């Protein structure tokens, strides 16, 4: 039997435009990890990452769901994806509007014939599913939009491994803020969210670069081919460092090893395991490699 493990991130750029201090963000992430860990033990990896990401979407501090950044036309368009190793089905929603939990839309899409929907089609699907209309725009994000404050990062995500050996990953984002209306983020692509039998990955950072690198899928496929997770991440980030790219990731393998790492100057992000948190990918990775208890 496998020891369950769980890691979440509050996004590169979690500190962009926020007055929240590091300890507050860490406390929120801890609460999410604790709640999702109970789900992990009771209902498995897939349910746990959905739960973790939904809680992060509900927290206006993070750039996903409620509190998502606004695109250049002042509209919040949300994207999320979900995959688990038991059936290998990737499902995602791109630029959906007026929902509270885009990860729930992605989950519903996993049961449909077509697993990825965008924009109007995604909106119609959410309504047809009976998901209640919800305005995710907060006064803080409106202020940022009026002041034309743009970021270039922001996303939340979770990766979990359950006792049955199933790995799952989910990611959700409001994009970068003030982007061209309709811009597609990495989060609801296999570059931003991917898992298979040997590893799962959730990315955060500059979506265009993450997609150009096919980052999450690149790491996971290396693990499927027999490479250790730490080596797969190191090689993939080394390749990315040949470009002037900036992104980070959380990853978990089938034995419960956790890696959190980054390339380039990624603004502070937060990764949490049960009882542990960090303010940087490098620190998260150090904690993970130290081999403390996993959530
Ligand atoms: N990774 C978030 C985005 O670029 O939209």
């Amino acid at each position: 039997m496998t020891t369950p493990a769980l890691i979440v991130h509050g996004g590169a750029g979690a500190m962009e435009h926020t007055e929240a201090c590091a300890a507050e963000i860490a406390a929120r992430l801890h609460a999410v990890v604790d709640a999702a860990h109970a789900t992990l033990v009771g209902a498995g990896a897939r349910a746990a990452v959905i739960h973790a990401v939904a809680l992060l979407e509900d927290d206006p501090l993070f750039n996903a769901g409620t509190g998502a950044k606004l695109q250049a036309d002042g509209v919040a368009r949300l994207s999320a994806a979900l995959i688990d190793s038991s059936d290998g089905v990737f499902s995602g929603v791109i630029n959906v509007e007026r929902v509270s939990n885009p990860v729930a839309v992605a989950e519903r899409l996993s049961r449909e014939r077509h697993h990825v929907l965008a924009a109007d089609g995604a909106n119609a699907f959410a309504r047809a599913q009976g998901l209640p209309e919800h305005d995710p725009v907060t006064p803080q994000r409106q202020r940022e939009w009026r002041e034309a404050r743009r970021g270039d990062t922001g996303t939340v995500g979770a990766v979990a491994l359950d006792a049955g050996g199933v790995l799952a990953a989910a990611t959700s984002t409001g994009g970068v803020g003030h982007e061209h209306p309709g811009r597609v983020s990495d989060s609801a692509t296999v570059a931003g969210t991917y898992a298979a039998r040997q590893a799962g990955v959730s990315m955060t950072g500059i979506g265009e670069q993450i997609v150009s690198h096919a980052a999450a899928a690149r790491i996971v496929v290396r693990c499927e081919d027999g490479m250790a997770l730490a080596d797969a991440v190191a090689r993939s980030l080394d390749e990315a460092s040949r470009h002037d790219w900036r992104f980070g990731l959380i990853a978990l393998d089938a034995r419960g090893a956790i890696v959190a790492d980054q390339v380039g100057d990624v603004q502070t992000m937060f990764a949490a395991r049960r009882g542990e948190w960090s303010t940087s990918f490098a620190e998260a990775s150090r904690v993970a490699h130290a081999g403390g208890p996993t959530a």
Side-chain angles (χ1 to χ4, degrees), residues 11 18 28 57 133 152 161 166-167 177 192 217 222:
T18 180
R28 307 270 187 107
E57 289 174 338
E133 281 217 31
D152 54 14
L161 170 70
V166 173
L167 278 156
R222 282 193 158 133

Side-chain angles (χ1 to χ4, degrees), residues 41-136:
V41 171
R46 181 183 180 86
V49 296
I50 293 169
H51 189 192
V53 168
L55 290 172
L56 292 165
E57 289 174 338
D58 290 342
D59 188 332
L61 199 54
F62 300 105
N63 175 22
T66 300
K69 295 179 183 179
L70 312 186
Q71 297 190 340
D73 58 356
V75 175
R77 296 184 180 88
L78 316 172
S79 299
L82 169 69
I83 183 167
D84 81 67
S85 63
S86 63
D87 62 6
V89 171
F90 175 93
S91 62
V93 64
I94 297 170
N95 286 327
V96 69
E97 295 173 39
R98 299 189 67 80
V99 296
S100 53
N101 295 112
V103 72
V105 183
E107 194 280 325
R108 305 268 180 127
L109 280 166
S110 70
R111 303 180 229 154
E112 300 291 318
R113 178 168 162 235
H114 304 300
H115 297 312
V116 183
L117 286 180
D120 288 347
N123 296 337
F125 176 77
R127 301 287 91 82
Q129 288 287 307
L131 295 172
E133 281 217 31
H134 170 78
D135 182 1

Side-chain angles (χ1 to χ4, degrees), residues 251-274:
L252 185 54
D253 77 10
R255 292 177 305 285
I258 289 176
V259 174
D261 210 341
Q262 70 183 77
V263 64
D265 180 20
V266 180
Q267 199 197 21
T268 306
M269 71 84 76
F270 297 84
R273 300 188 305 164
R274 198 172 206 194

Side-chain angles (χ1 to χ4, degrees), residues 225-241:
D225 286 345
M227 195 177 278
L229 177 63
D231 295 338
V233 170
R235 184 179 298 184
S236 301
L237 293 184
D238 181 57
E239 291 162 346
S241 71

Side-chain angles (χ1 to χ4, degrees), residues 63 79 152-155 171-177 179 183-187 203-210 247:
N63 175 22
S79 299
D152 54 14
T153 51
T155 297
T171 313
S172 183
T173 189
V176 296
E179 64 266 76
R183 168 194 178 261
V184 174
S185 130
D186 62 289
S187 300
M203 304 293 303
T204 176
I206 300 177
E208 285 71 11
Q209 299 171 0
I210 294 168
F247 50 74

Side-chain angles (χ1 to χ4, degrees), residues 143-205:
R143 216 165 23 248
E144 291 169 15
W145 179 76
R146 275 198 306 276
E147 294 167 3
R149 286 203 243 165
R150 66 183 69 224
D152 54 14
T153 51
T155 297
V156 303
V159 186
L161 170 70
D162 65 29
V166 173
L167 278 156
T171 313
S172 183
T173 189
V176 296
H178 262 276
E179 64 266 76
H180 193 292
R183 168 194 178 261
V184 174
S185 130
D186 62 289
S187 300
T189 74
V190 297
T193 308
Y194 203 60
R197 285 194 312 188
Q198 297 302 323
V201 176
S202 172
M203 304 293 303
T204 176

Side-chain angles (χ1 to χ4, degrees), residues 7-20:
I7 183 167
V8 306
H9 70 78
M15 297 294 282
E16 273 177 5
H17 315 314
T18 180
E19 284 162 16

Side-chain angles (χ1 to χ4, degrees), residues 6 30 33-34 37-38 272-277 293-295:
L6 170 71
H30 269 309
V33 168
D34 285 344
H37 183 259
R273 300 188 305 164
R274 198 172 206 194
E276 297 168 346
W277 65 281
T294 53

